[in-house]
């Protein structure tokens, strides 16, 4: 936080400097004027040089033309042909002794304007982050596939304290290994300390023409005959184009303006060719609503945030469950299917985190029979989820997987044996700070293209407190978030709706990278 | 080897060095823009003149005393001389100091300040370098007047005697600026 504040202050300082540069970085406009034209010439000029016919020159300030007397009146010096001072004082210079007048005016230069605009842009971006700290980038560890700038996974987003250390399994759905060495870039792009116990790959052989997906309870299943829905309807109308392909085009909506826990539904229909075991494959991530709420919670805790989060470690399971009440109230994406009595929940997907979408599969209780149109309803908190892809898939057998630890760990292009040891020994941890980047290289089995790749990361992270948050410290409201999350989500709705239109832009523009 | 923080300045300096107009005048001769409002000396002029005795061109330079369409009066440490403009292949007048150094400094500081922009520095840092480089190049050329390009009479505004050599002034009585 301190460094961001320092950099923010630096930006403001640059802006000030550049603005002050206006004074010294100016364009000089010099004009020569015949004596009889002086009356109409540039009176803006603070100084007037009167070049006499004999080569002498008056340099006058506080000057004016007395047209009636045909003289120029001003204070200054008379200089000879070698520019030595001949006389000083207040002068009345007859126009007929003057060969030429010279005026000089300083104007703002193009260079100053350009630098001022740049300083304004820089300070503006920095100020956005300083004044909208709840919209600034917060991420937990982020993972990129080497050579790609597209985020592949984020690790344990809900683990904001040591007591909440957790294991997170993400499918690297877009991984296309080109050889047996597969490298992930592990980054810390937020004002956070990340504590990573491990970051292993789980690889599973793909079935012919199919893929392997993991269920919310961690079972790896073969999946074939992926079938896109034939219909998708939400409150805004047809949503089929957004969810039919895994293409980054997501279906999302805004939060309710009176209650952040308000639910919405999406109705899907897909024709499955036969009976059997089918499941719903879904790729989704959260919106920035959760980020806002986590930061708001920390702001309410203020100076006591550290103490509270540390105390979580000594609390009993019931107290810890109470602390997770906000997340439970927001909920996940429930997958419902019709049965004789109405709709039943087949399962729920969705993990905390607004950055990388994760893919999971929810097995469905299917009716027996031939080809049928399967109706599916997705129920979720409005404005909380962004869904990229939904499909049905025929489920196969559970798959035997293989765990791969990093074979090599590099930092700034050099091997880092200490980090390598830390990530291979679960008794040790790798701690990273803002701007840190590591390359984790794994050795895949032969024919790596035949494998599905998942990332399993375990750890927790510590959010750095922002000074601006302390102003909102309110233990009563902090307690309310845990004791009565539903009421808190209603109370915070107006505040979130105020930042919601810009929160995405502010968030991504505040990602931390070392210069 | 430059330190990390000095790198932006080094980069910008290198870029500017490639495209900027150099300051040819002796150190301390040229006034700043603010000083130029009150100082009454001429700017610094360099001329490439056809030599009468050989095919080679001769380079002469000094303070611009006066200029007309057919003659240039200048004053160097060797004394004052008048040169026919017809014998001049090309000339360059530098009227005052440019502030390229200041722009380089501000640009370097601007590049460093983009550290506060998070990932947006990918855009703002190069933008600072591009803007600063263009501004620096423009700034370095602002005090310069070239002939050909401009007419000889256009240089008069930055001569010691913009109205022409005063009648009765002996060239040998003129002293260069200390």
């Amino acid at each position: 936080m301190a460094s961001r504040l320092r950099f923010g202050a630096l930006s403001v300082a640059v802006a000030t400097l550049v603005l002050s540069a206006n004074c010294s970085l100016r364009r000089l406009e010099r004009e020569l004027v015949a004596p009889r034209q002086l009356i109409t010439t540039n009176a803006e000029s603070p100084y007037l040089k009167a070049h006499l016919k004999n080569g002498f020159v008056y340099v006058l300030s506080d000057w004016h033309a007395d047209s009636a007397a045909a003289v120029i009146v001003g204070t200054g010096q008379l200089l000879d042909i070698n520019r030595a001072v001949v006389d000083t004082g207040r002068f009345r210079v007859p126009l007929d002794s003057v060969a030429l007048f010279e005026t000089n005016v300083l104007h703002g230069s193009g260079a100053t304007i350009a630098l001022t605009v740049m300083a304004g842009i820089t300070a503006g971006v920095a100020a956005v982050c300083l004044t909208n700290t709840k919209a600034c980038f917060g991420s937990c560890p982020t993972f990129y596939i080497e050579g790609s700038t597209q985020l592949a996974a984020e690790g344990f987003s809900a683990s904001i304290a040591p007591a909440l250390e957790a294991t997170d399994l993400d499918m690297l759905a877009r991984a296309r290994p080109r050889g047996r060495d597969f490298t992930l870039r592990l980054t810390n792009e937020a004002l956070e300390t990340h504590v990573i116990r491990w970051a292993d790959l789980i690889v599973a052989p793909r079935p012919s023409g199919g893929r392997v997906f993991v269920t919310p309870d961690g079972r790896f299943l073969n999946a074939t005959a992926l079938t896109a829905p034939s219909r998708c309807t939400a409150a805004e109308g047809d949503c089929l184009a957004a969810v039919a392909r895994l293409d980054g085009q997501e279906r999302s909506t805004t939060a309710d303006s009176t209650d952040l826990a308000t639910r919405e539904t999406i109705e899907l229909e897909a024709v499955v060719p036969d009976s059997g075991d089918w499941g719903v494959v879904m790729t989704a991530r959260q919106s920035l609503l959760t980020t806002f709420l986590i930061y708001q919670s920390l702001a309410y805790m203020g100076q006591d945030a550290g103490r509270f989060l540390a105390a979580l470690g000594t609390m009993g399971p019931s107290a810890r469950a109470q602390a997770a009440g906000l997340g439970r109230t927001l909920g996940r994406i429930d997958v419902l299917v019709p049965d004789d009595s109405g709709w039943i929940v087949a399962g729920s997907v969705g993990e905390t985190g607004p950055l990388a979408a994760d893919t999971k599969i929810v097995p469905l209780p299917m009716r027996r029979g031939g080809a049928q149109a399967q109706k599916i309803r997705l129920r979720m908190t409005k404005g909380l989820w962004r869904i990229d892809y939904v499909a049905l898939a025929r489920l196969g057998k559970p798959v035997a997987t293989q765990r791969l630890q990093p074979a090599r760990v590099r930092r700034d292009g050099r091997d880092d044996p200490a980090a390598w040891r830390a990530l291979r020994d679960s008794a040790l941890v790798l701690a990273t700070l803002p701007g840190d980047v590591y390359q984790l290289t794994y050795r895949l089995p032969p024919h790596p293209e035949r494998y599905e790749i998942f990332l399993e990361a375990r750890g927790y992270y510590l959010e750095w407190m922002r000074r601006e948050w302390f102003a909102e410290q309110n233990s009563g409201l902090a307690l309310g978030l845990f004791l009565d999350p539903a009421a808190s989500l209603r109370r915070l709705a107006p505040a979130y709706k105020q930042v919601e239109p810009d929160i995405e832009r502010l968030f991504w523009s505040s990602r931390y990278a070392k210069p | 080897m430059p330190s990390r923080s000095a790198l932006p300045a080094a980069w910008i300096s290198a870029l500017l060095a490639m495209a900027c107009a150099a300051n040819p005048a002796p150190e301390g001769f040229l006034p700043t823009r603010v000083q130029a409002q009150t100082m009454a000396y001429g700017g610094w002029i360099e001329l490439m003149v056809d030599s009468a005795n050989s095919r080679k061109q001769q380079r002469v330079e000094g303070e611009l005393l006066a200029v007309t369409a057919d003659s240039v009066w200048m004053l160097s440490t060797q004394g004052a001389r008048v040169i026919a403009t017809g014998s001049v292949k090309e000339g360059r007048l530098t009227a005052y100091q440019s502030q390229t150094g200041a722009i380089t400094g501000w640009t370097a500081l601007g590049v460093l300040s983009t550290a506060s922009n998070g990932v947006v520095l990918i855009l703002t840092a190069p933008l600072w370098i591009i803007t600063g480089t263009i501004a620096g190049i423009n700034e370095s050329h602002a005090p310069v007047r070239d002939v050909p390009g401009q007419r000889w009479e256009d240089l008069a505004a930055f001569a010691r005697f913009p109205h022409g050599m005063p009648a009765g002034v002996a060239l040998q009585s003129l002293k260069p600026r200390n």
Side-chain angles (χ1 to χ4, degrees):
Chain A
M1 182 191 79
S3 63
R4 184 171 289 280
L5 282 174
R6 273 202 301 277
F7 285 132
L10 179 60
S11 298
V12 174
V14 170
T16 311
L17 263 177
V18 173
L19 291 173
S20 69
N22 268 315
C23 304
S24 58
L25 253 186
R26 290 189 178 181
R27 184 169 48 86
L28 176 68
E29 197 171 283
R30 177 170 289 184
E31 209 177 321
L32 298 177
V33 186
R36 292 293 165 194
Q37 294 173 329
L38 183 67
I39 310 305
T40 60
T41 199
N42 202 343
E44 263 185 272
S45 179
Y47 302 98
L48 180 71
K49 289 181 203 166
H51 290 275
L52 306 187
K53 290 170 182 168
N54 65 358
F56 284 31
V57 61
Y58 284 98
V59 181
L60 304 173
S61 61
D62 187 24
W63 63 274
H64 68 272
D66 183 344
S67 52
V71 294
I72 292 295
V73 181
T75 304
Q77 297 178 322
L78 174 63
L79 309 175
D80 69 9
I81 57 171
N82 287 312
R83 302 317 184 215
V85 178
V86 175
D87 197 4
T88 59
R90 186 93 179 147
F91 298 102
R92 289 175 66 83
V93 184
L95 290 181
D96 60 5
S97 67
V98 176
L100 272 179
F101 286 107
E102 176 191 317
T103 60
N104 291 276
V105 179
L106 292 172
H107 294 286
S109 74
T112 313
I113 293 166
L115 293 180
T116 305
V117 168
M118 275 311 303
I121 291 169
T122 309
V125 173
V128 156
C129 198
L130 284 168
T131 55
N132 295 276
T133 46
K134 286 184 214 113
C136 283
F137 197 89
S139 69
C140 57
T142 41
F143 295 88
Y144 298 81
I145 295 167
E146 191 70 349
S148 167
T149 54
Q150 191 174 19
L151 192 61
E154 58 181 313
F156 43 83
S157 293
S159 304
I160 57 169
L164 301 176
E165 181 174 325
T167 303
D168 184 19
L169 184 65
D170 293 305
M171 181 178 181
L172 304 182
R174 293 187 176 88
R176 298 285 179 273
R178 293 190 186 126
R180 289 190 62 189
D181 285 337
F182 180 77
T183 300
L184 285 178
R185 206 166 66 251
L186 157 66
T187 63
N188 182 337
E189 302 176 88
L191 292 174
E192 298 165 354
T193 301
H194 297 161
V195 180
I196 304 159
R197 198 165 296 284
W198 69 69
D200 294 346
L201 292 189
I202 308 289
V203 295
R206 281 189 190 135
S208 175
R211 302 199 68 167
V212 176
F213 297 106
V214 66
T215 61
D217 58 357
R219 288 180 296 136
F220 293 84
L221 300 176
N222 274 333
T224 53
L226 267 79
T227 306
S230 54
R231 196 171 64 86
C232 173
T233 315
E236 71 273 18
D238 184 11
C239 50
L240 187 60
V243 303
R245 278 175 299 279
L246 182 61
D247 55 4
Q249 190 190 339
E250 298 167 318
R251 187 273 164 188
S252 64
T253 186
T254 55
D256 187 81
S257 56
T258 57
D259 184 356
L260 295 177
T262 298
R263 298 297 201 265
E264 64 166 344
T265 56
I266 297 177
E267 307 292 342
L268 296 159
E269 197 171 298
V271 178
V272 292
D274 55 46
S275 61
D277 294 327
W278 288 78
V280 173
V281 179
M282 195 184 316
T283 303
R285 60 179 175 143
Q286 288 189 321
S287 71
L288 290 162
L289 174 56
T290 331
T291 306
F292 172 84
L293 291 170
I294 289 175
Y295 287 176
Q296 188 62 64
S297 309
L298 292 169
Y300 282 159
M301 288 186 251
Q303 305 272 17
D304 296 328
R307 197 167 28 212
F308 177 83
L309 293 173
L312 272 178
T314 59
M315 289 176 180
S318 60
R320 231 179 284 176
Q322 184 76 53
L326 194 62
R328 270 200 312 279
T329 307
L330 288 171
R332 305 208 294 168
I333 303 173
D334 296 328
V335 179
L336 298 96
V337 289
D339 80 345
D340 298 335
S341 59
W343 292 86
I344 57 164
V345 178
S348 300
V349 292
E351 63 173 43
T352 307
L355 306 180
D358 187 32
T359 304
K360 291 280 191 296
I361 190 163
V362 176
L364 298 178
M366 296 293 286
R367 292 173 175 172
R368 298 293 160 189
Q372 56 183 298
Q374 177 65 50
K375 288 186 175 174
I376 298 156
R377 175 176 289 173
L378 304 180
R379 186 177 61 199
M380 69 200 99
T381 294
K382 189 170 182 289
L384 179 61
W385 296 99
R386 298 183 274 204
I387 300 173
D388 186 359
Y389 178 58
V390 182
L392 264 71
R394 184 190 292 125
L395 299 181
K397 292 178 181 170
V399 185
T401 59
Q402 191 179 340
R403 175 180 292 271
L404 304 173
Q405 290 187 312
R408 189 180 180 193
V409 177
R410 282 171 295 154
R411 187 183 184 188
D412 297 331
R414 292 189 195 146
D415 282 315
D416 189 332
W420 176 79
R421 272 193 303 278
L423 288 174
R424 291 175 70 95
D425 182 348
S426 62
L428 303 175
V429 292
L430 172 66
T432 70
L433 294 172
D436 284 351
V437 180
Y438 290 85
Q439 280 92 28
L440 317 182
T441 301
Y442 303 83
R443 187 75 173 156
L444 298 175
H447 303 294
E449 70 283 359
R450 298 178 187 169
Y451 284 82
E452 204 72 70
I453 302 176
F454 299 83
L455 172 71
E456 187 190 274
R458 182 172 179 83
Y460 63 91
Y461 66 101
L462 301 169
E463 193 73 48
W464 292 13
M465 290 298 288
R466 278 69 155 169
R467 193 187 302 276
E468 299 77 19
W469 292 354
F470 294 154
E472 291 189 58
Q473 181 164 357
N474 186 322
S475 50
L477 292 176
L479 210 56
L481 283 167
F482 301 108
L483 297 179
D484 191 355
S488 298
L489 289 171
R490 285 193 294 275
R491 193 172 37 72
L492 284 171
Y496 179 67
K497 292 302 286 183
Q498 206 168 358
V499 298
E500 190 182 33
D502 288 325
I503 196 165
E504 193 74 20
R505 180 178 57 78
L506 299 176
F507 181 82
W508 288 101
S509 66
S510 64
R511 182 149 49 158
Y512 189 92
K514 279 184 181 171
Chain B
M1 185 173 165
S3 71
R4 227 175 182 192
S5 59
L7 275 176
W11 256 96
I12 296 154
S13 300
L15 284 170
L16 291 178
M18 286 189 284
C20 287
N23 176 359
E27 195 174 342
F29 179 86
L30 291 175
T32 64
R33 286 172 171 79
V34 174
Q35 290 168 336
Q37 294 180 99
T38 54
M39 284 184 61
Y41 292 100
W44 190 261
I45 192 162
E46 301 170 273
L47 303 173
M48 294 302 291
V49 183
D50 288 334
S51 172
N53 303 323
S54 72
R55 288 182 181 178
K56 286 185 180 173
Q57 288 179 349
Q58 191 189 357
R59 182 169 176 272
V60 292
E61 59 184 336
E63 180 194 343
L64 178 63
L65 292 173
V67 61
T68 61
D70 55 20
S71 302
V72 180
W73 287 262
M74 58 188 293
L75 179 62
S76 68
T77 47
Q78 282 80 46
R81 61 190 293 189
V82 58
I83 295 167
T85 55
S87 67
V88 178
K89 198 75 180 166
E90 56 190 47
R92 166 168 285 192
L93 173 78
T94 308
Y96 45 83
Q97 291 176 24
S98 76
Q99 302 289 317
T100 313
I103 289 181
T104 305
W106 282 315
T107 305
L109 201 55
V111 173
L112 289 175
S113 73
T114 59
S116 64
N117 290 180
V119 74
V120 184
L121 75 77
I122 292 168
L123 295 176
T124 51
L127 207 54
W128 261 107
I129 292 172
I130 292 165
T131 308
T133 304
I134 293 170
I137 292 167
N138 284 339
E139 170 61 21
S140 77
H141 287 93
V144 174
R145 309 284 185 277
D146 284 323
V147 179
Q150 297 197 20
R151 298 176 307 158
W152 287 106
E153 304 92 292
D154 295 334
L155 308 188
F158 293 95
R160 185 187 289 196
F161 307 114
H163 51 296
M165 277 305 289
V169 171
L171 287 182
Q172 56 272 28
S173 66
L174 293 171
K175 296 175 189 168
R177 183 185 171 194
N178 292 323

